[in-house]
Amino acid sequence: MNEIEELFLEMKDTSELMIDLAYSALLYNSREIAEEVFNLEEMIDELNTNIQKKSVASAVNDGNVEKALVMLRLANCIESIADGAMEIADVVLRDIEPHPILKMSVMESDTIIARVAVDEKSVLTDKTLGETKLTSKTGMWVIAIRREKSWFFGPDENTVLKKGDIIFARGPKEGEEGLIKIASGRKRRI
Amino acid sequence: MPAADGKTGGNMKKRKRFEEIGYEPTNVKELLTEMKDVSELITDLAYSAVIFDIKDIAEEVKELESRMDKLLYQIRLTAMLATRTVEDAEQFSGLLQVASAAENISNAAGDIIRLLDTKIENRPFLPSLLQKADEKIRIISVPEKSPMSDKTIGELNVEAETGVRIIAIRKGERWMYDPADSTILSGGDMLIVRGVDDGYIRLKGFAEGKRGLNNE
């Protein structure tokens, strides 16, 4: 994978994580999650600047202006998506409690966000996210983990789950129950 | 609900007034829920259109984009009508900010499909650019004879069983976007799906009759 592809992938994945986190922040009225959306925005800006430099450099090298333009435009689109996530998170950072309808909308949409605690008895305890295959087994994609006072945002397949962790996961309504059963230890096999 | 006789008329009136006040926010909720759903679908569709160079999907993105304009307008009107106090106004301003963010996201998706206006030789990197993401967008072709045939998406519980979401289906010449649980899958369908690797492998294997949907 070349460098510019990697930059785009990171930008796209980050923008999608930001959207999921922004809706989670709304649902749970969490300033901490909302603030992470703003932190990630800084990363997006940096990635965008890097892509801009690489695009210009590539046009200088091969003289293909159109190709460079496609790269610049795509990066701008992803940046706008990330900005949308920020606008959503911003509502949580005001000193006014978000309208209750916001919570209801997030709960009733096609894609919901679940919050579950990992029990000591759970098969998830002390396993990496990759090992658990949680997403392909429940449909739920883990976007954040809270361990006591600390947060892991956008965990990857190597992130180890511990008892007491609070998992925030995005997925279909039908996936929530399965996730709860597995995390609570009521279902021993994934 | 008509009153059965004159005596209950007074009660009915009271209840009706209560329902009327409750009606507006319910409406705002439905509008906002749809806006959230569309903003998520439209980005997946925009990336799909660009990855696979499919003009039909790009057209759907344009339609969803104008649908979002209408939804934003409606939610603004409804929120204004439902505002009674300063507190209402403060809370609705946050709500409308979320609605407008969802609309901005849709506009960004609309801009993504405009990349298709560029000559294909100037965007050879687009498919691979987006193909290594955490959750990939891919195609599954359902063979003529498939265990998936004649089953509904809800019956198979596809997304919860595999972590893979079907975002569009081509049936013959026709496209269906964001198919419902009641959508029947058939042999010959082409599915555009989004999700994790192992779930994709399982769903594809199942479509091809090589394995069950939820066993290892």
Side-chain angles (χ1 to χ4, degrees):
Chain A
M1 199 176 5
N2 70 37
E3 217 179 336
I4 197 143
E5 283 183 359
E6 256 173 69
L7 291 171
F8 268 111
L9 283 184
E10 200 175 339
M11 209 174 166
K12 174 174 182 275
D13 286 344
T14 306
S15 73
E16 287 172 1
L17 175 65
M18 286 169 73
I19 302 262
D20 291 336
L21 289 177
Y23 284 120
S24 312
L26 270 186
L27 181 58
Y28 300 109
N29 197 15
S30 161
R31 296 184 74 91
E32 286 170 294
I33 301 179
E35 273 157 15
E36 176 65 10
V37 176
F38 278 75
N39 294 338
L40 289 172
E41 169 65 15
E42 280 172 32
M43 217 168 99
I44 289 272
D45 283 343
E46 227 170 87
L47 288 164
N48 197 9
T49 308
N50 266 331
I51 288 175
Q52 287 168 342
K53 286 184 190 161
K54 295 260 180 323
S55 307
V56 174
S58 108
V60 170
N61 277 336
D62 62 12
N64 191 338
V65 175
E66 291 288 318
K67 192 178 115 195
L69 206 54
V70 171
M71 294 196 267
L72 287 171
R73 284 185 178 153
L74 180 62
N76 274 343
C77 293
I78 302 176
E79 161 101 57
S80 305
I81 292 173
D83 286 345
M86 235 175 33
E87 271 181 88
I88 296 170
D90 175 62
V91 174
V92 179
L93 294 177
R94 297 174 179 188
D95 289 326
I96 300 149
E97 174 102 357
H99 198 291
I101 287 177
L102 284 168
K103 259 183 203 183
M104 290 184 232
S105 291
V106 179
M107 286 195 290
E108 287 176 24
S109 72
D110 288 346
T111 303
I112 59 132
I113 296 176
R115 179 175 62 176
V116 296
V118 178
D119 192 274
E120 201 176 349
K121 303 190 297 289
S122 169
V123 281
L124 300 178
T125 305
D126 297 323
K127 291 229 177 60
T128 66
L129 269 177
E131 280 170 333
T132 64
K133 293 190 178 170
L134 196 60
T135 307
S136 71
K137 298 294 183 176
T138 64
M140 304 303 285
W141 174 262
V142 180
I143 54 171
I145 298 167
R146 203 181 75 202
R147 186 168 300 159
E148 288 169 11
K149 297 264 167 208
S150 46
W151 284 90
F152 302 86
F153 294 105
D156 61 23
E157 54 184 10
N158 302 316
T159 308
V160 179
L161 295 169
K162 297 277 178 200
K163 68 168 180 183
D165 281 358
I166 310 287
I167 298 178
F168 292 74
R170 176 253 300 154
K173 279 185 203 93
E174 301 78 33
E176 187 177 19
E177 204 190 316
L179 176 68
I180 292 172
K181 277 188 187 155
I182 291 166
S184 65
R186 267 189 287 145
K187 194 173 169 203
R188 295 292 301 161
R189 278 194 62 231
I190 293 196
Chain B
M1 200 171 19
D5 57 60
K7 280 177 203 160
T8 54
N11 280 337
M12 284 304 297
K13 233 181 236 164
K14 227 178 242 166
R15 189 182 301 153
K16 192 154 178 264
R17 199 160 355 154
F18 175 75
E19 279 171 358
E20 267 171 17
I21 296 169
Y23 176 70
E24 302 285 358
T26 314
N27 212 353
V28 169
K29 185 188 73 187
E30 274 160 24
L31 290 166
L32 190 66
T33 307
E34 185 177 347
M35 290 185 85
K36 176 178 182 288
D37 288 342
V38 172
S39 76
E40 288 170 337
L41 173 70
I42 197 175
T43 24
D44 282 341
L45 287 178
Y47 285 129
S48 310
V50 170
I51 292 170
F52 303 115
D53 192 23
I54 301 175
K55 296 278 188 304
D56 286 338
I57 299 182
E59 286 306 314
E60 175 69 9
V61 169
K62 285 182 198 162
E63 276 184 28
L64 287 173
E65 208 186 341
S66 57
R67 168 101 191 122
M68 278 297 255
D69 289 341
K70 282 184 202 128
L71 288 170
L72 182 62
Y73 180 69
Q74 277 179 33
I75 203 170
R76 279 183 178 145
L77 289 189
T78 317
M80 279 183 221
L81 288 171
T83 305
R84 303 277 188 275
T85 63
V86 176
E87 285 80 37
D88 281 356
E90 284 174 336
Q91 283 201 321
F92 272 127
S93 118
L95 191 144
L96 289 177
Q97 184 168 323
V98 173
S100 119
E103 207 252 340
N104 288 339
I105 292 167
S106 305
N107 287 341
D111 290 341
I112 290 175
I113 56 145
R114 276 171 203 108
L115 298 176
L116 287 174
D117 297 339
T118 319
K119 282 202 206 100
I120 196 153
E121 52 268 32
N122 288 325
R123 47 184 167 89
F125 51 92
L126 278 181
S128 60
L129 274 186
L130 302 167
Q131 266 316 54
K132 284 155 197 141
D134 284 345
E135 292 180 291
K136 302 184 186 67
I137 295 173
R138 285 175 284 213
I139 287 178
I140 293 178
S141 296
V142 184
E144 284 306 328
K145 275 190 178 170
S146 166
M148 207 178 240
S149 222
D150 300 324
K151 298 248 169 27
T152 68
I153 294 177
E155 205 178 323
L156 295 171
N157 203 7
V158 175
E159 199 179 355
E161 287 292 347
T162 63
V164 173
R165 182 184 184 90
I166 302 175
I167 51 183
I169 304 176
R170 199 185 69 193
K171 287 179 177 289
E173 293 294 299
R174 245 181 71 234
W175 279 94
M176 293 176 74
Y177 304 99
D178 195 21
D181 276 354
S182 57
T183 303
I184 299 167
L185 299 168
S186 321
D189 282 357
M190 183 176 109
L191 317 178
I192 296 193
V193 301
R194 173 211 160 115
V196 290
D197 292 341
D198 50 330
Y200 163 76
I201 292 165
R202 207 147 23 92
L203 187 61
K204 188 170 183 285
F206 174 69
E208 291 166 356
K210 292 178 185 154
R211 55 176 302 160
L213 186 57
N214 36 29
N215 57 8
E216 277 308 302

